[in-house]
Amino acid sequence: MKSKDQIEELLSECLARLKVAGIDQGEILYWETEMGTIRTFLNRVSHHGMTGDADLYMTAIRGKEIGRAQTSDLGRNGIQQLIRRATCQVGHEASFTPYPVLPGPFRNLSPSRKMFYESTLKMSAGERIKLIQETVDHSKTFQLKCSARLMNGGGRMGIINSSGALVIAEYTEASLSLILTDEKKVSAYSSRSSENIEFLNKDLTFQEATENAIRQKSLPVVPLQLKGNEEFFDVILGPDAVAEWIETLASTGLNGLHYEEEESFVSGRLNQKLLGENICLYDDPMELHGLHAPFDFEGVPKKKIVLFEQGVAKSVCYDSSTADKFSKKSTGHALPPFERSYGAIPRHLFLKGGKSSVEEMIASSDEPTLYVTRFHYTNVVNSKVCLLTGMTKDGTFLIRKGKIVGPVSNLRFLESIPEALNRVTLIGEPRLVHDPVGYGGLYPEGSVVPPLKIRKVRFIGSSANLES
Amino acid sequence: MWRETLSSLLSGKRIKQVDYADVRVIPSHCEETLLVKNGKILQRTHSENVGYGIRVLAGGAWGFASCSTLDHKEAEKSFDRAIEMARASALIADPPVRLYPVRGPIQGKYRTPCQKDPFTEVTLEEKVKALLKTDQLLRESSAKVTLRESSMTFSKMEKIWMNSEGSYVEQELIESGAGMEVVAVLRDEVQKRSYPNSFRGNIGTAGYEFVESMRLADHALRIGEEAEALLFAAPCPETRTDLILMPDQLCLQIHESIGHAIELDRIFGSELTYAGGSFLSEHIQELGNFRYGSPLVNIVSDSTLREGLGTFGYDDEGIAAQKNDIIREGMLVGLLSSRESSDEYLRLTGKSLLPNSCMRATHSNRVPLIRMTNLYLEPGEGTLAELIHRTNEGILMETNSSWSIDDLRKNFSFGTEIAWEIKKGKRTRMLKNPFYRGMTLDFWNSCNAVCGPSEWRSYGTPNCGKGMPGQSMHVGHGASPARFGQIQVGSQGLK
């Protein structure tokens, strides 16, 4: 990877060349990542690879016209073409919205804590295999098969613009995910991530997945048929399940663009109580248990934003151009340059925790209650009310009279998340949920969320229903 | 230079350290996106990606490395990294990976048929002008329309592929696409209509003529009016009824409930840590004897389909594009496979299943995986009007708005932008917020009518997710309107 000095030199040279090309304002992002990934399925390796990506993104503004270009060809010719494409004139100048002054100046933003660990970046192929071998050996002890994903890597990112921003950050990440299965009914998941491979708690990952798997193996499957087209259950959601709901709620409902365009459940309702009083949701890139990012993709410094305080909607998120359009201020949530038409999305969510353990939540359940560890393929059905549907997966259990009585088939829920967050009765201790496999680059983000107990969630089907 | 440098790796001393190797070079991959929103040019982006990926098989295990800097030293380093990964993995390779033999070496060249190259024969100004004109028509369509978006997207990828068996393939793949959507708002009610499909339209392997053939302007007024009308429409009732799906929605149904389920790597479990498995894992011995749908259901995988988004000359294992039956008269007769999975299939079942040109990677820094090509429902008979006329009571749904399916591809739920009630053979009132749900095998077995060739349409799906690191593949689908008996439908609104 390029050193910080090399990145600064490259960015400065590109900006100088943009100015020579006659632009009024310019922004350049350099983003390089290096990642090792190993995937296994049923104790076998399916993929083991090293990928390196390095890209330059350029935004050129001249008059009202704005152009964006990207290249992974960082040779002299590649950069020349990049400038040519970013500065190419479309005509139709009147059809561009005047772009605001780019944010800045910002310099040398220091991370609030160490984000880069050489040992995480440089983990060797042999070290990865050793850890994977441990997952296989561990699962064999319990007559299970392991499908695992181990990822380690890091990145350096630098942003420069014509308003005097010049910020560079480096970070590393390691992530281990396990799915333990047997021939028939068991499927149990656990995952942990950290910026430091030394702190990747593999023992806890093994333990969590194994407990889930053994619970599925040792208890009889409960044939749960929904009564009619739908049935309501109290649920205990594990952190992975909570993160999926909260992240979807945030990307649709707390995106400033959706808010302003009246597509969000928060639209026109700021400072109103929309969630339960026990719900405090922040975007906090400095949170101790989360992954840290010092600035957004425009270089704007990140800070803690209160999204919901005791259920009252306090703010939504903006990048600089959306903020300017709607007379607001950037909250430091700009997306990568090519994704900015989607608005601004909080990517470091922190849902304030409580004191209940999952065991206590289970013990408190006199009524039939479902313990859901994870969801699959959650999607928005109606964005205005944040109505989502999706399936449970990797361990769904029925609780009766304070005890888990057995696993049930995967179930389909249909639920408005804001409404569900008005029915939270117990809250546990938060932990980081981070999935590094998005389609963009490796990036330090993720949600720190607790397990929740929620009353009367709507379920509309089961994977065991109906099939001939 | 690319060719020489990478060919030398496949013939030099390093090749002796591996059982097999292939190199995929992307000397150039340009993508352009234009987006006009409410009369303003919101996005104009151009990307250029270059690089290469090296895949080696050593000691029965795969290793992969990629790089975007092509000089001889870097290429050697990448090759060595791939060997290092494979050798490390070989320590636990049980059973070892083997490749199904193919006749070779393969020598091939392919270029997407293209009348008007979107990068060299159409100016940026011309494209923007067309989008602004579309936007103007959308603006005039309805006073209730508050958001208007129209977009175009283009891609041109040069790809060189070679392997240690002496095969060499060159391809130039061109894609063009466009679409438009409107949002109408009335108090808390938000309704959306799109053309030619939701999520930014339709894409095909073709030149700019594909965009021109969509005739966006001719449909602008209609979608604006429909979005407004939806604000005042009745919600789709909760009931079991006959359901007619229009091709745009049926394509996604095929994608989710057939396409992913028949990927052989997924059937074997290799996607358990991300995309999920397949209910067909339990039926792997039953190919040819497994009923997937009613006798009217004929599904084909076809990477030769004209303008299909999953059309190419050769896959990333050098296998030539081809057309294969997947479901014939309701019986499952084919699966999507690769050289590795075909060998595994032979080992497990004792039966042959040839690798059928489905291995593709989205970028040079990603490994090829089994991906859908163009998976479509073959047409049946008659027109949509005749089908509606033959339907006593039912609901017709069009244009996807949401989707979800479980990890084994059994239990699904889909929402669409619009629906109409059918009563006594006539399309009657419009219905808003429709959705339907069901179980894969029950659904396909309930298919009781498929319209004929004149109603058949194809759509590109540019966001098919699989793999880690993630890959968003471009695949294609096609269908005529079809009817399914007694499906659970309902409304996406809150209770």
Side-chain angles (χ1 to χ4, degrees):
Chain A
M1 286 206 292
K2 283 191 194 298
S3 69
K4 285 182 172 181
D5 288 344
Q6 287 172 320
I7 293 172
E8 183 172 341
E9 191 181 335
L10 176 66
L11 290 173
S12 301
E13 186 196 326
C14 287
L15 186 62
R17 288 173 68 177
L18 258 187
K19 282 179 180 163
V20 170
I23 57 103
D24 301 323
Q25 294 195 82
E27 174 195 279
I28 300 140
L29 160 68
Y30 175 80
W31 191 5
E32 179 170 11
T33 59
E34 202 173 283
M35 178 164 59
T37 310
I38 184 162
R39 295 182 79 190
T40 65
F41 70 104
L42 309 174
N43 294 352
R44 298 160 60 183
V45 178
S46 60
H47 168 66
H48 192 181
M50 264 323 276
T51 55
D53 300 310
D55 297 280
L56 269 173
Y57 292 83
M58 195 171 271
T59 300
I61 302 161
R62 183 160 39 195
K64 284 165 69 177
E65 278 211 42
I66 177 166
R68 289 198 164 100
Q70 167 270 336
T71 188
S72 64
D73 181 356
L74 303 183
R76 178 166 289 277
N77 186 47
I79 293 174
Q80 206 166 320
Q81 292 295 325
L82 177 74
I83 294 169
R84 188 179 67 77
R85 283 169 180 143
T87 56
C88 161
Q89 299 278 285
V90 176
H92 302 284
E93 180 159 355
S95 299
F96 284 86
T97 306
Y99 205 82
V101 174
L102 291 168
F106 313 114
R107 286 261 167 179
N108 302 324
L109 299 173
S110 306
S112 60
R113 67 164 194 266
K114 191 175 174 187
M115 300 161 56
F116 185 90
Y117 294 84
E118 195 73 24
S119 59
T120 304
L121 183 67
K122 297 296 179 194
M123 190 180 192
S124 69
E127 288 169 321
R128 274 194 293 272
I129 282 293
K130 196 174 156 212
L131 182 47
I132 286 298
Q133 179 71 61
E134 280 184 59
T135 68
V136 172
D137 292 345
H138 177 85
S139 55
K140 280 181 177 170
T141 312
F142 297 95
Q143 288 80 52
L144 295 163
K145 288 192 172 173
C146 182
S147 301
R149 180 209 61 206
L150 172 65
M151 186 283 304
N152 70 287
R156 287 204 175 102
M157 179 185 290
I159 297 163
I160 196 168
N161 73 24
S162 50
S163 293
L166 175 59
V167 290
I168 298 172
E170 57 183 2
Y171 56 90
T172 50
E173 286 177 39
S175 168
L176 175 66
S177 302
L178 305 176
I179 289 190
L180 301 180
T181 51
D182 71 356
E183 296 300 322
K184 263 301 184 199
K185 59 176 187 178
V186 169
S187 181
Y189 171 84
S190 181
S191 180
R192 289 292 185 279
S193 299
S194 172
E195 62 264 278
N196 184 351
I197 186 77
E198 310 293 334
F199 297 156
L200 188 67
N201 197 334
K202 65 174 196 267
D203 293 336
L204 189 61
T205 318
F206 289 162
Q207 185 191 327
E208 190 175 88
T210 309
E211 280 174 8
N212 181 342
I214 288 173
R215 200 175 261 162
Q216 291 181 54
K217 264 180 97 138
S218 60
L219 295 170
V221 176
V222 182
L224 183 70
Q225 290 287 340
L226 300 187
K227 294 167 194 156
N229 285 330
E230 61 182 28
E231 195 168 349
F232 294 80
F233 286 96
D234 291 357
V235 297
I236 297 165
L237 301 183
D240 291 294
V242 172
E244 186 140 349
W245 274 15
I246 296 291
E247 287 170 7
T248 312
L249 174 105
S251 64
T252 57
L254 304 174
N255 178 336
L257 184 65
H258 291 185
Y259 173 83
E260 301 290 351
E261 291 179 346
E262 298 188 16
E263 290 197 71
S264 158
F265 74 96
V266 185
S267 295
R269 297 185 172 112
L270 272 182
N271 296 315
Q272 291 181 27
K273 189 175 160 299
L274 304 180
L275 311 179
E277 265 177 25
N278 52 0
I279 299 298
C280 298
L281 181 65
Y282 313 120
D283 190 62
D284 187 359
M286 318 303 168
E287 213 288 321
L288 190 61
H289 301 288
L291 296 176
H292 179 39
F295 50 81
D296 72 1
F297 284 91
E298 288 181 309
V300 175
K302 282 192 161 286
K303 57 185 180 190
K304 181 175 172 178
I305 302 284
V306 178
L307 301 166
F308 284 93
E309 189 70 54
Q310 295 181 322
V312 177
K314 289 292 181 188
S315 53
V316 293
C317 301
Y318 296 92
D319 60 8
S320 63
S321 70
T322 315
D324 182 77
K325 188 173 173 188
F326 299 107
S327 306
K328 303 282 177 8
K329 283 187 178 162
S330 169
T331 53
H333 289 92
L335 297 174
F338 280 22
E339 295 173 28
R340 292 206 189 138
S341 62
Y342 297 107
I345 297 172
R347 294 160 78 134
H348 298 86
L349 295 166
F350 175 72
L351 183 59
K352 194 174 170 186
K355 291 180 177 168
S356 303
S357 67
V358 168
E359 288 69 29
E360 286 165 351
M361 293 180 190
I362 292 169
S364 73
S365 304
D366 290 331
E367 296 292 311
T369 299
L370 294 168
Y371 174 32
V372 175
T373 56
R374 202 180 176 207
F375 290 124
H376 179 80
Y377 225 142
T378 298
N379 214 331
V380 180
V381 173
N382 183 330
S383 64
K384 186 72 182 173
V385 289
C386 201
L387 183 71
L388 309 187
T389 187
M391 293 294 292
T392 66
K393 76 183 280 197
D394 297 328
T396 307
F397 302 91
L398 182 68
I399 300 162
R400 280 197 189 116
K401 295 179 182 164
K403 285 196 173 134
I404 290 181
V405 292
V408 298
S409 297
N410 291 326
L411 297 164
R412 174 168 297 285
F413 71 88
L414 181 67
E415 183 62 59
S416 158
I417 306 311
E419 287 203 355
L421 292 177
N422 268 297
R423 302 192 301 266
V424 173
T425 55
L426 293 171
I427 302 178
E429 191 181 333
R431 73 160 170 84
L432 172 66
V433 178
H434 168 63
D435 189 347
V437 299
Y439 297 115
L442 191 69
Y443 182 71
E445 61 185 349
S447 302
V448 179
V449 294
L452 299 176
K453 187 171 183 192
I454 304 174
R455 278 189 300 111
K456 305 297 172 203
V457 169
R458 176 157 51 143
F459 290 88
I460 59 167
S462 154
S463 58
N465 269 8
L466 306 172
E467 195 89 296
S468 305
Chain B
M1 179 201 157
W2 290 89
R3 181 177 175 168
E4 288 71 30
T5 301
L6 292 161
S7 302
S8 69
L9 289 175
L10 294 176
S11 54
K13 62 181 182 187
R14 282 177 174 77
I15 202 66
K16 291 181 182 138
Q17 301 175 48
V18 302
D19 303 317
Y20 170 87
D22 60 33
V23 179
R24 193 166 24 88
V25 189
I26 310 294
S28 167
H29 182 191
C30 304
E31 291 172 283
E32 182 180 70
T33 303
L34 296 163
L35 172 64
V36 167
K37 184 170 179 176
N38 285 359
K40 301 290 182 189
I41 302 165
L42 186 70
Q43 191 180 0
R44 170 169 78 83
T45 61
H46 189 289
S47 69
E48 168 82 46
N49 284 292
V50 299
Y52 58 94
I54 298 172
R55 196 172 66 137
V56 305
L57 186 60
W62 287 114
F64 177 78
S66 69
C67 187
S68 57
T69 310
L70 191 83
D71 61 42
H72 199 73
K73 214 169 155 189
E74 281 296 328
E76 286 184 343
K77 222 191 296 181
S78 298
F79 204 98
D80 289 343
R81 273 183 163 181
I83 294 174
E84 186 195 354
M85 305 293 145
R87 283 202 176 138
S89 301
L91 296 172
I92 55 170
D94 180 25
V97 172
R98 291 183 318 193
L99 299 182
Y100 196 95
V102 291
R103 195 180 295 170
I106 298 148
Q107 304 291 318
K109 219 169 192 176
Y110 175 83
R111 183 176 192 263
T112 301
C114 168
Q115 292 166 31
K116 221 186 238 189
D117 187 316
F119 289 93
T120 59
E121 295 178 64
V122 189
T123 64
L124 198 53
E125 191 169 356
E126 197 177 330
K127 296 168 194 166
V128 168
K129 196 174 163 189
L131 288 174
L132 289 170
K133 182 185 164 197
T134 302
D135 181 83
Q136 176 64 25
L137 293 166
L138 290 172
R139 193 170 71 84
E140 291 162 7
S141 67
S142 161
K144 292 282 186 296
V145 165
T146 56
L147 288 176
R148 316 178 300 273
E149 274 191 13
S150 47
S151 62
M152 290 186 191
T153 175
F154 305 99
S155 163
K156 190 196 291 190
M157 180 198 278
E158 289 174 43
K159 180 154 71 170
I160 299 169
W161 178 87
M162 59 192 102
N163 75 358
S164 55
E165 295 167 343
S167 296
Y168 181 87
V169 172
E170 276 183 23
Q171 300 189 82
E172 185 180 68
L173 305 169
I174 299 169
E175 295 174 0
S176 298
M180 59 183 177
E181 67 176 45
V182 292
V183 174
V185 178
L186 183 67
R187 293 184 289 278
D188 270 357
E189 186 80 41
V190 178
Q191 291 294 336
K192 190 178 281 190
R193 280 298 281 143
S194 314
Y195 174 84
N197 204 350
S198 47
F199 306 104
R200 296 201 177 164
N202 195 12
I203 311 180
T205 51
Y208 192 71
E209 68 279 1
F210 187 77
V211 170
E212 291 173 324
S213 72
M214 290 178 192
R215 306 178 74 88
L216 293 181
D218 292 355
H219 296 266
L221 182 64
R222 174 180 62 82
I223 67 166
E225 287 174 348
E226 285 179 352
E228 178 178 339
L230 279 167
L231 294 171
F232 306 99
C236 183
E238 290 273 347
T239 185
R240 273 185 175 271
T241 188
D242 284 1
L243 173 66
I244 295 175
L245 293 181
M246 293 299 282
D248 51 4
Q249 171 55 33
L250 193 46
C251 282
L252 195 62
Q253 178 77 48
I254 293 166
H255 179 95
E256 301 290 5
S257 66
I258 298 178
H260 281 302
I262 59 168
E263 294 162 345
L264 196 47
D265 53 355
R266 195 177 169 122
I267 290 170
F268 289 144
S270 71
E271 275 295 322
L272 283 174
T273 54
Y274 178 49
S278 166
F279 70 92
L280 290 175
S281 298
E282 292 176 12
H283 304 283
I284 192 70
Q285 298 280 359
E286 299 169 44
L287 195 60
N289 299 307
F290 184 81
R291 179 158 289 287
Y292 210 108
S294 76
L296 296 177
V297 177
N298 292 294
I299 297 281
V300 166
S301 169
D302 182 1
S303 43
T304 67
L305 179 71
R306 187 179 157 266
E307 295 186 341
L309 191 57
T311 297
F312 46 83
Y314 299 84
D315 78 352
D316 291 338
E317 289 192 321
I319 310 288
Q322 53 195 268
K323 180 178 174 180
N324 295 296
D325 281 350
I326 298 295
I327 296 172
R328 182 56 50 195
E329 294 180 359
M331 303 303 287
L332 183 70
V333 295
L335 299 167
L336 308 181
S337 65
S338 62
R339 291 185 67 179
E340 179 185 352
S341 61
S342 288
D343 183 83
E344 175 102 358
Y345 184 82
L346 180 63
R347 188 172 66 78
L348 291 174
T349 66
K351 297 176 203 162
S352 273
L353 180 73
L354 296 177
N356 49 22
S357 192
C358 293
M359 281 292 270
R360 288 190 292 155
T362 53
H363 294 86
S364 59
N365 56 9
R366 299 289 185 262
V367 286
L369 302 167
I370 294 178
R371 307 309 299 252
M372 288 168 239
T373 59
N374 301 296
L375 192 72
Y376 58 81
L377 176 67
E378 287 189 331
E381 289 177 349
T383 64
L384 175 64
E386 288 163 352
L387 178 61
I388 292 172
H389 185 69
R390 293 199 311 267
T391 303
N392 185 43
E393 199 168 301
I395 286 175
L396 181 150
M397 295 191 192
E398 184 174 55
T399 315
N400 181 264
S401 65
S402 78
W403 65 96
S404 173
I405 189 163
D406 71 17
D407 57 337
L408 296 181
R409 304 281 145 179
K410 287 166 81 175
N411 181 307
F412 62 78
S413 167
F414 290 100
T416 66
E417 291 182 351
I418 194 166
W420 287 270
E421 195 168 50
I422 295 168
K423 288 266 187 203
K424 294 179 183 167
K426 291 211 165 82
R427 191 192 290 223
T428 60
R429 60 179 178 149
M430 183 184 284
L431 301 169
K432 69 181 173 187
N433 303 332
F435 91 109
Y436 67 97
R437 59 184 197 259
M439 300 290 281
T440 292
L441 295 180
D442 288 337
F443 179 82
W444 285 107
N445 275 285
S446 76
C447 179
N448 56 34
V450 179
C451 290
S454 64
E455 306 283 354
W456 195 89
R457 304 284 182 273
S458 72
Y459 293 93
T461 302
N463 56 346
C464 175
K466 193 174 176 182
M468 292 159 121
Q471 299 189 44
S472 194
M473 182 52 78
H474 289 192
V475 305
H477 300 288
S480 301
R483 189 178 62 196
F484 301 84
Q486 295 304 298
I487 302 299
Q488 181 67 46
V489 302
S491 171
Q492 301 167 32
L494 276 181
K495 289 220 141 184

